[in-house]
Amino acid sequence: MNRKASENVEYTLRSLSSLMGERRRKQQDPDWASATGEQSLIAATESFCSLQGSGGPGPGSSTSSGDLERAARRQFQQDETPSFVYVVSVFSALGGFLFGYDTGVVSGAMLLLKRQLSLDALWQELLVSGTVGAAAVSALAGGALNGVFGRRAAILLASALFTAGSVVLSVAQNKETLLCGRVVVGLGIGIASMTVPVYIAEVSPPNLRGRLVTVNTLFITGGQFFASIVDGAFSYLPKDGWRYMLGLSAIPATIQFLGFLFLPESPRWLIQKGQTQKARRILSQIRGNQIIDEEYDTIKNSIEEEEKEVGSAGPVIYRMLTYPPTRRALIVGCGLQMFQQLSGINTIMYYSATILQMSGVEDDRLAIWLASVTAFTNFIFTLVGVWLVEKVGRRKLTLGSLAGTSVALIILALGFLLSAQVSPEISLKPTTPSDKNSSCTKYSSCDGCMLDPGCGFCYKMNKSDVVDSSCIPVNKESTNEAAWGRCTNETKFKAEQLFWAYNFCPTPYSWTVLMGLILYLVFFAPGMGPMPWTVNSEIYPLWARSTGNACSSGINWIFNVLVSLTFLHTAEYLTYYGAFFLYAGFAGLGLIFIYSCLPETKGRKLEEIESLFENKLCTCGTLDSDEGRYIEYIRVKGSNYHLSDNDASDVE
Ligand SMILES: O[C@H]1[C@H](O)[C@@H](O)[C@H](O)[C@@H](O)[C@H]1O
């Protein structure tokens, strides 16, 4: 038995012996028992004792603490979380999978699409960012949708949008239809991204909530990983391979839609809407054989109190901003989402193939497959987050993750800096054909040439030295070749031992970059990846939950577009190392923000969390008095009592 489990049992033993003491007192003094109306407590205690088959452990009782411990453990095991809550969470998390898949698959699809439909840069950008932009809009609008129609309706709508969008994409005949499909899918992503964490948090028991919501992010990164495999596999099908890539998500989307036709609405939302009978029925279905009275009453009371305290006049966002605890929670939630994106995750995800090329991978297809290694690392380390979230808590996990991410960003930046310092010189200045563009011939080293999106570096290798190098305009149709000169025909120039580097330079410091990249994901994925979603699903009171999550998800998407769309321009102005130092700076600011403002929400009931924001903003971290202290409780009612290592003290 591990230390914590034995502490649980020890505590239980202590709780039980105090109950036994009460029982003896009541048996000796029946008036006292009836006066306090505690007959049920006596019955419960007796029923516990009968579990052991040997009566209560009073003085002189033959029952050893070993028997008691075994009985407590047996009951603890019986009282497991019903599997229905896992079914509900997995079906909801399919929304996360679709979010990950549809944002991840586009990079591979674009490689094929731009050739088949001759897409120019503007159309490529529209197809990629159209989805993310639509997600930002629908995440913001999703708050109202959730509040009025409920979580279940929002998830059904999101999966219907995913299905419709994927079908449109797989049969599209022109770029305009493709754009419509991408926008429809984006609308689904936005709604799913803000609804699913809220729904899972609302149906989960407090001791599992963090883990189950984090599973949603595991599904996001799983979707991104699966997308990278699909991209790799269908890249061998140059004609129409993209139809499969983009259309495949119709399958999980349809499964989710069908599943949700049978899955229940969030009981918390139902109570808020006054549908109390239905809420009770669903809550007891989700909690299996456990008693729900206390949970039901807590939700109901907190809704009533909230209404008294905050009132119900005016738009929710106005009430949130004028009521200090929700205003603070909103700042923390949006800040977390903003810093998640500002620390550059999607630059790493979208440009990992380029970054990997910098570390010496020449072949395009190999770079695509290696990018799936990046996605896999992100996925596997999110799993570590699922495991850690209920052990170390949200605050420590996020802080540790962001500290590691900052170090990794500095290593990445140093790798790029060292590479820039030893960047190969340009030794040849070929004469430009009269009808061709010559803007690239002005550069004197590979570094400048690489940062100009219009140019590429053509060179030969002599052992480990770069020789006969030139900077030439890139072919607008395919970045794998130059527009003119020695590097124009891929098959021919490869046979002549020539190399073409677009967006990167050959460097001996590739290992530093590679190490930085891997370290980045190892640290980012368990904490900064999932925690912003997990924390946001728990920090708002019920009346503000949909709106709070809509705002913070909207912020996540807006900064996602900003960071990923500006990466190449940022690199052009600040160089690659400048860009990564900038992200490291943002991560450092994020660290200060999180250290001062993020309270620990682990193990608390959703209804209790509001109290964490009652004090002035950015003192929450220091008020973490409960950290490291486990409050055990034993609920005794009839023969049903519950031991939890993370819940509030409560003896009925
Ligand atoms: O939490 C997720 C996850 O970390 C993904 O890998 C990333 O692409 C998303 O932008 C982020 O919100």
Side-chain angles (χ1 to χ4, degrees):
M1 191 166 34
N2 62 29
R3 199 175 68 85
K4 213 176 110 202
S6 73
E7 276 169 12
N8 280 338
V9 173
E10 227 173 80
Y11 185 89
T12 311
L13 291 175
R14 254 181 282 129
S15 310
L16 275 170
S17 44
S18 76
L19 287 177
M20 299 304 169
E22 279 175 19
R23 174 179 168 240
R24 280 195 304 281
R25 218 173 122 197
K26 285 166 191 172
Q27 276 169 342
Q28 285 155 11
D29 179 5
D31 287 348
W32 183 84
S34 55
T36 51
E38 291 290 335
Q39 293 296 356
S40 70
L41 186 65
I42 301 175
T45 320
E46 271 166 357
S47 102
F48 182 86
C49 299
S50 70
L51 252 180
Q52 309 158 72
S54 59
S61 156
S62 60
T63 307
S64 68
S65 65
D67 290 339
L68 201 53
E69 181 180 321
R70 266 192 299 282
R73 199 179 320 138
R74 213 178 313 133
Q75 181 62 23
F76 191 37
Q77 279 156 1
Q78 271 173 20
D79 208 8
E80 276 169 2
T81 307
S83 49
F84 190 54
V85 82
Y86 295 109
V87 175
V88 173
S89 305
V90 166
F91 264 96
S92 331
L94 279 177
F97 180 87
L98 290 160
F99 156 177
Y101 183 86
D102 283 314
T103 47
V105 81
V106 71
S107 57
M110 204 53 73
L111 289 179
L112 307 182
L113 265 173
K114 66 182 181 196
R115 285 199 195 125
Q116 199 171 329
L117 297 185
S118 313
L119 298 178
D120 58 18
L122 176 71
W123 269 95
Q124 289 180 43
E125 262 178 20
L126 276 176
L127 289 176
V128 176
S129 37
T131 308
V132 187
V137 174
S138 69
L140 287 168
L145 191 82
N146 254 270
V148 178
F149 299 104
R151 326 306 190 209
R152 182 172 168 269
I155 296 180
L156 276 170
L157 176 65
S159 46
L161 287 168
F162 278 126
T163 316
S166 316
V167 172
V168 170
L169 286 167
S170 62
V171 298
Q173 295 301 329
N174 52 40
K175 49 185 193 265
E176 290 78 11
T177 321
L178 273 173
L179 184 60
C180 288
R182 289 291 294 162
V183 167
V184 172
V185 163
L187 295 175
I189 296 180
I191 297 174
S193 71
M194 68 128 311
T195 312
V196 171
V198 170
Y199 179 77
I200 300 183
E202 290 187 343
V203 296
S204 308
N207 60 323
L208 275 184
R209 188 182 60 237
R211 191 158 284 168
L212 292 177
V213 181
T214 308
V215 164
N216 182 50
T217 315
L218 183 71
F219 273 56
I220 299 179
T221 54
Q224 289 174 328
F225 170 53
F226 186 67
S228 67
I229 302 274
V230 170
D231 276 356
F234 286 103
S235 65
Y236 297 93
L237 202 69
K239 192 174 176 302
D240 289 346
W242 56 268
R243 292 190 189 280
Y244 297 98
M245 296 177 183
L246 298 173
L248 223 72
S249 55
I251 301 172
T254 313
I255 296 178
Q256 192 190 38
F257 185 82
L258 295 177
F260 258 87
L261 288 178
F262 302 97
L263 290 174
E265 179 50 89
S266 152
R268 284 179 160 82
W269 182 84
L270 287 170
I271 298 177
Q272 194 193 25
K273 295 288 159 193
Q275 300 182 35
T276 47
Q277 287 308 317
K278 200 170 170 193
R280 223 173 218 291
R281 210 178 52 241
I282 292 175
L283 194 59
S284 102
Q285 185 189 10
I286 299 174
R287 296 284 176 264
N289 64 349
Q290 295 172 16
I291 291 166
I292 54 148
D293 297 357
E294 189 223 347
E295 188 174 359
Y296 177 84
D297 290 344
T298 317
I299 305 173
K300 202 153 186 304
N301 293 342
S302 81
I303 293 175
E304 282 162 9
E305 266 168 41
E306 277 162 10
E307 266 169 21
K308 262 187 249 146
E309 226 168 294
V310 194
S312 52
V316 181
I317 186 70
Y318 172 77
R319 279 185 276 149
M320 279 185 85
L321 291 172
T322 46
Y323 181 57
T326 46
R327 183 173 61 233
R328 291 175 197 132
L330 191 64
I331 294 174
V332 170
C334 292
L336 272 175
Q337 292 287 24
M338 179 182 82
F339 283 115
Q340 180 198 64
Q341 293 302 319
L342 282 181
S343 45
I345 175 66
N346 288 313
T347 302
I348 302 283
M349 293 302 286
Y350 301 158
Y351 295 95
S352 57
T354 313
I355 298 175
L356 285 161
Q357 275 184 330
M358 268 212 66
S359 37
V361 182
E362 306 282 340
D363 187 67
D364 258 9
R365 224 163 248 154
L366 185 60
I368 293 185
W369 281 114
L370 282 176
S372 63
V373 176
T374 322
F376 182 69
T377 317
N378 195 14
F379 168 63
I380 281 296
F381 282 88
T382 312
L383 198 61
V384 175
V386 173
W387 178 64
L388 283 178
V389 62
E390 296 297 359
K391 290 193 184 300
V392 300
R394 289 54 159 160
R395 184 176 150 81
K396 280 189 192 148
L397 188 56
T398 316
L399 278 173
S401 158
L402 193 55
T405 304
S406 316
V407 174
L409 281 167
I410 293 174
I411 296 179
L412 261 171
L414 288 176
F416 283 110
L417 177 64
L418 290 172
S419 308
Q421 277 171 351
V422 297
S423 178
E425 295 297 312
I426 286 167
S427 54
L428 301 176
K429 298 249 178 216
T431 1
T432 316
S434 54
D435 58 333
K436 303 281 192 245
N437 164 9
S438 69
S439 61
C440 300
T441 47
K442 63 175 187 264
Y443 297 108
S444 59
S445 79
C446 176
D447 203 43
C449 178
M450 158 189 82
L451 291 170
D452 186 330
C455 311
F457 187 64
C458 181
Y459 64 101
K460 274 191 172 171
M461 292 296 287
N462 179 6
K463 295 205 184 98
S464 57
D465 294 329
V466 172
V467 292
D468 296 347
S469 54
S470 52
C471 184
I472 313 284
V474 65
N475 180 349
K476 293 223 165 61
E477 254 89 76
S478 157
T479 55
N480 293 342
E481 302 169 342
W484 51 264
R486 299 174 298 162
C487 281
T488 30
N489 182 327
E490 207 179 342
T491 5
K492 222 169 114 210
F493 72 68
K494 279 192 174 153
E496 289 168 14
Q497 307 276 300
L498 273 160
F499 298 96
W500 170 250
Y502 178 68
N503 243 335
F504 68 95
C505 286
T507 165
Y509 289 105
S510 48
W511 61 269
T512 325
V513 174
L514 200 60
M515 195 173 86
L517 183 76
I518 292 171
L519 264 185
Y520 180 97
L521 291 168
V522 166
F523 280 110
F524 183 91
M528 268 318 270
M531 286 311 108
W533 298 107
T534 305
V535 170
N536 268 288
S537 72
E538 357 181 81
I539 53 176
Y540 309 104
L542 186 56
W543 62 269
R545 197 167 293 147
S546 334
T547 309
N549 274 276
C551 292
S552 60
S553 313
I555 292 282
N556 179 289
W557 290 109
I558 290 169
F559 278 89
N560 183 333
V561 190
L562 280 179
V563 175
S564 43
L565 271 189
T566 54
F567 174 62
L568 290 179
H569 289 100
T570 315
E572 214 177 309
Y573 290 109
L574 297 180
T575 71
Y576 274 113
Y577 64 83
F580 283 100
F581 276 130
L582 181 71
Y583 298 146
F586 287 142
L589 287 179
L591 211 53
I592 300 174
F593 173 78
I594 291 166
Y595 181 80
S596 347
C597 306
L598 179 65
E600 183 54 82
T601 48
K602 177 185 132 188
R604 300 202 184 243
K605 291 191 187 122
L606 287 179
E607 286 67 30
E608 295 167 359
I609 291 176
E610 188 186 334
S611 64
L612 296 175
F613 293 92
E614 259 154 21
N615 293 297
K616 254 177 75 192
L617 188 68
C618 297
T619 49
C620 347
T622 52
L623 292 174
D624 236 1
S625 54
D626 275 350
E627 249 192 321
R629 178 159 73 87
Y630 291 104
I631 304 171
E632 315 287 343
Y633 84 91
I634 169 168
R635 183 196 307 153
V636 185
K637 202 165 208 177
S639 63
N640 185 337
Y641 45 92
H642 184 102
L643 275 96
S644 155
D645 51 353
N646 286 319
D647 223 323
S649 184
D650 163 38
V651 177
E652 287 178 43

